[in-house]
Amino acid sequence: MRDADVVIVGAGAAGLSLAYRLCGAPDAGARRPTVVLVDAPPGPRRPPERTWCFWEAPGGDFDRALTAEWDALRVYGPDGTQRVGRPAPLRYKMLRSGDFAAAVEARLAGDPAVRRVEATVTAVRDTADGAEVRGCDAAGRPVTLRARWAFDSRPGQLLPPARTTLRQHFRGWFVRTRNAVFDPDVADWMDFRVPQPAHGLAFGYVLPLDPHTALVEYTRFSRRPLAVADYERALRHYTDEVRKLGPFEITGAEQGVIPMTDGRFPHRAGRSVFRIGTAGGATRPSTGYTFAAVQRQTAGLAAALRRPGAPLPPPVHSRWSRALDAVLLRGLDSGRVDGAAFFSDLFGAVPTERLLRFLDGRSRLWEDLTIGLRTPVLPMLRTVAELPLLPRKSAPW
């Protein structure tokens, strides 16, 4: 017997988003699937609190849960030149994972079609007539769940074979300053007034919540993450020497690593087993942004699950977008493209709303071509020529 129509493994952004989409009222004449959402027991397998940022128009599904939002973005070039853009009708939004989970759980609460299970999942596999999820609960007792379809958001041990694999890695402090030093109307999206690595790029990132409070992050695109002490030194240099915040206290911290790769993430792991979230290719390779793409991916899946046939996750990034990402990643990794100059010049030359749509893979071809003319053409052409000759290699997740 099946426990549900759908088992979702992992209650992070992708798992919770899919459960949220399936919890809504079905379309006319469509059958509503039953769902089991599997989350790891409290402990080290649960991810820590994290911050997601994305851009969309006002009136989004999770606007009530937002920590903050901004209608102006600022970029500082390496020479200190600052550019401010207003991406109307889009707004830049900040959502904390705990607030997102609470919003989703409020919708799931009391819904008889959705059941929550705490278990450490050890295997997800096909069966003769569906999928099976195996694991154990917090007490070590075995847990087995069977469903018609399984959606797995857990990362694998290896990234898919790729010509270029970078990582976006960061550490951030939530700070409270003695002096009023932040402008809560403007988010500092990229601040390149920090020492740049030989390959890739580094920048500061400031999301102000009020004149005294902000999330201040140090972010780097490179092959390998840093030690915590290295992030701390970089943050201290940024807050003291670049931003000159004055006296402040650190009220919280967050740290993470996001894969940036031109490898092809498989959407399917079996006849009835699918990958979602970053494991299913939702992360935009050239930027690391994931949350908005997860919403598109899970909305498409929810619609597919209400129709006959296999609910294959829809591609959230086009082949054209992925090809552009492959060129940029290789350019950054090879050192041919000066990342700090590239992004700061692009922000100054392209209308902000168009640039954000481009980074989201939603711009039109003629817009992409006009943006392409703003890039360092010769290094990009050289990179395009060499990409087909490069071998693909796997790397640890």
Side-chain angles (χ1 to χ4, degrees):
M1 292 183 61
R2 291 177 182 162
D3 297 280
D5 297 313
V6 172
V7 172
I8 302 170
V9 179
L16 286 173
S17 296
L18 181 55
Y20 177 90
R21 304 291 176 189
L22 293 176
C23 190
D27 299 330
R31 178 179 173 273
R32 183 177 174 186
T34 55
V35 178
V36 175
L37 177 61
V38 185
D39 195 10
R45 290 185 179 273
R46 281 198 182 180
E49 179 85 357
R50 61 187 65 187
T51 301
W52 295 308
C53 290
F54 55 100
W55 46 85
E56 66 176 4
D61 288 340
F62 306 109
D63 273 12
R64 292 185 178 181
L66 295 176
T67 302
E69 57 183 327
W70 301 269
D71 59 11
L73 299 174
R74 178 165 51 204
V75 170
Y76 286 93
D79 61 355
T81 301
Q82 57 176 299
R83 301 175 174 93
V84 177
R86 298 184 182 276
L90 304 178
R91 293 175 68 86
Y92 196 63
K93 301 182 177 184
M94 175 184 181
L95 179 62
R96 297 283 285 157
S97 59
D99 297 328
F100 170 71
V104 173
E105 286 163 3
R107 177 166 167 144
L108 302 183
D111 187 333
V114 180
R115 180 161 65 97
R116 302 290 296 267
V117 171
E118 285 190 354
T120 300
V121 172
T122 55
V124 182
R125 65 181 187 90
D126 280 324
T127 62
D129 61 348
E132 182 180 79
V133 175
R134 289 182 175 270
C136 57
D137 64 15
R141 295 183 293 261
V143 172
T144 301
L145 299 165
R146 297 179 178 87
R148 178 65 187 93
W149 310 106
F151 297 90
D152 192 352
S153 64
R154 299 172 304 155
Q157 292 186 348
L158 291 176
L159 290 166
R163 293 164 296 195
T164 307
T165 296
L166 299 179
R167 288 166 176 81
Q168 179 180 152
H169 48 101
F170 56 89
R171 183 170 175 84
W173 289 339
F174 287 89
V175 302
R176 176 76 181 172
T177 62
R178 181 184 301 172
N179 304 317
V181 295
F182 300 117
D183 180 354
D185 295 326
V186 182
D188 288 328
W189 198 34
M190 289 181 167
D191 186 344
F192 292 109
R193 295 174 296 170
V194 298
Q196 295 297 314
H199 300 279
L201 72 155
F203 56 91
Y205 183 58
V206 180
L207 300 180
L209 308 182
D210 61 50
H212 294 270
T213 310
L215 170 61
V216 181
E217 286 193 350
Y218 173 80
T219 300
R220 184 180 284 196
F221 296 180
S222 62
R223 296 179 184 178
R224 296 176 184 83
L226 304 177
V228 172
D230 294 326
Y231 292 116
E232 295 280 300
R233 279 192 293 270
L235 275 166
R236 184 59 66 180
H237 172 266
Y238 182 61
T239 54
D240 293 355
E241 304 300 325
V242 179
R243 299 301 299 230
K244 302 185 187 302
L245 298 184
F248 65 87
E249 63 174 323
I250 301 169
T251 60
E254 66 174 28
Q255 185 170 324
V257 181
I258 301 169
M260 304 175 70
T261 169
D262 66 352
R264 304 184 186 97
F265 286 82
H267 294 163
R268 202 164 193 164
R271 293 187 309 274
S272 298
V273 180
F274 303 91
R275 303 285 189 188
I276 59 173
T278 295
T283 297
R284 182 73 196 265
S286 60
T287 66
Y289 281 100
T290 305
F291 188 83
V294 161
Q295 302 315 306
R296 299 197 298 271
Q297 184 185 68
T298 54
L301 275 174
L305 280 162
R306 295 184 175 112
R307 300 190 299 263
L312 187 66
V316 291
H317 305 300
S318 68
R319 286 187 177 183
W320 172 248
S321 295
R322 296 199 307 271
L324 295 177
D325 289 341
V327 175
L328 179 56
L329 288 176
R330 177 61 183 171
L332 291 173
D333 187 45
S334 65
R336 291 192 197 110
V337 174
D338 181 333
F342 171 80
F343 280 106
S344 54
D345 291 348
L346 202 60
F347 189 83
V350 180
T352 308
E353 186 267 345
R354 183 186 301 175
L355 179 59
L356 293 186
R357 285 192 291 105
F358 171 75
L359 294 176
D360 215 17
R362 294 190 161 203
S363 52
R364 288 162 287 193
L365 179 59
W366 70 268
E367 293 175 318
D368 293 347
L369 294 175
T370 59
I371 291 172
L373 294 175
R374 307 283 185 176
T375 65
V377 176
L378 291 179
M380 290 298 195
L381 289 177
R382 180 180 173 187
T383 303
V384 169
E386 79 170 1
L387 273 176
L389 308 177
L390 298 176
R392 291 182 177 270
K393 300 177 181 179
S394 294
W397 191 288

